[in-house]
Amino acid sequence: MTVRVLLADDDALLRAGVAVVLGTAETITLVGQAADGIEAVALCRELEPDVVVMDVRMPGIDGIEATRRIVAGGSAARVLVLTTFRQDEYVWGAVQAGASGFLLKRASPERLIDAVLTVAAGDALIDPAVTRELLDRFVTPAPAVGRSAEARLLERLTAREREVLRLVAEGYPNAEIAALLTLAESTVKTHVKRILAKIGARDRAQAVVIAYRGGAVGRPPA
């Protein structure tokens, strides 16, 4: 199965470099390139890619708004956001807009290819450095006294579901979670689907934030 990718970045040189990297993967086909957010939304409708590799800062509308419009429009495409700065506040906005993955632009070519394939497979992918900065800046720790709203949501989960969510929050894809818990991958997918429904999370990325806010897992190490 070939993953069809749309690349959106206003930096022509960076686009060319990413295109070369993606072109080395036999299972990835680059179907289009956009120079701004408006073009990205239009091409997503026209080309129906599996994954949109999206820059954050672009003219016209930025990557956050473009992601929001793609998701709101009912596209099946999953958005992988590339960010330059670990302390980029736009990353949090991208979570809320519906992005499925986050990766620093300094990532290796192999890491980029793996990220595209991971997101295409339905797993969320968040660069550990981005996760740490995102949580440090935007996630309020669970209160010492009383329960947070997120903690109350997590009480809806079974012990097994909490275990699966913890591993999701630590960055494990379904296949690795299945191996760690000695489960079939299809069973893990079912658990994840039920977890998202129970806690009202749109996707795995949002579930990770709820897990940290609710105290289900500790913050990533510095």
Side-chain angles (χ1 to χ4, degrees), residues 1-77:
M1 180 178 177
T2 300
V3 176
R4 304 173 74 253
V5 175
L6 170 64
L7 173 60
D9 197 304
D10 65 322
D11 187 328
L13 185 59
L14 189 142
R15 277 204 321 273
V18 173
V20 169
V21 169
L22 296 179
T24 64
E26 295 182 356
T27 53
I28 293 176
T29 298
L30 184 62
V31 297
Q33 298 186 41
D36 58 50
I38 293 175
E39 187 178 13
V41 174
L43 286 179
C44 191
R45 293 196 194 102
E46 176 186 342
L47 301 174
E48 299 183 348
D50 300 307
V51 175
V52 181
V53 177
M54 182 82 75
D55 185 26
V56 172
R57 294 171 176 169
M58 293 186 292
I61 62 172
D62 62 19
I64 296 175
E65 180 58 26
T67 297
R68 184 177 294 112
R69 293 186 187 185
I70 288 171
V71 172
S75 172

Side-chain angles (χ1 to χ4, degrees), residues 25-179:
E26 295 182 356
T27 53
I28 293 176
T29 298
L30 184 62
V31 297
Q33 298 186 41
D36 58 50
I38 293 175
E39 187 178 13
V41 174
L43 286 179
C44 191
R45 293 196 194 102
E46 176 186 342
L47 301 174
E48 299 183 348
D50 300 307
V51 175
V52 181
V53 177
M54 182 82 75
D55 185 26
V56 172
R57 294 171 176 169
M58 293 186 292
I61 62 172
D62 62 19
I64 296 175
E65 180 58 26
T67 297
R68 184 177 294 112
R69 293 186 187 185
I70 288 171
V71 172
S75 172
R78 299 175 67 82
V79 179
L80 171 65
V81 171
L82 294 184
T83 183
T84 303
F85 305 105
R86 287 174 55 175
Q87 295 186 349
D88 196 339
E89 65 273 14
Y90 290 135
V91 175
W92 177 245
V95 172
Q96 296 176 311
S100 298
F102 309 91
L103 193 67
L104 293 177
K105 287 185 177 180
R106 69 187 184 197
S108 68
E110 295 78 14
R111 180 64 169 159
L112 174 59
I113 291 172
D114 180 67
V116 169
L117 298 178
T118 297
V119 168
D123 287 335
L125 181 142
I126 305 180
D127 189 296
V130 174
T131 303
R132 183 166 57 249
E133 294 294 342
L134 185 152
L135 293 170
D136 286 343
R137 293 192 60 174
F138 299 107
V139 176
T140 303
V145 179
R147 297 173 300 161
S148 66
E150 290 79 12
R152 289 192 292 272
L153 287 174
L154 296 178
E155 289 178 353
R156 301 174 180 177
L157 305 180
T158 65
R160 174 63 87 185
E161 288 167 347
R162 289 178 66 91
E163 191 173 20
V164 170
L165 178 58
R166 177 180 61 80
L167 293 174
V168 167
E170 291 177 358
Y172 291 98
N174 288 344
E176 293 184 25
I177 294 175

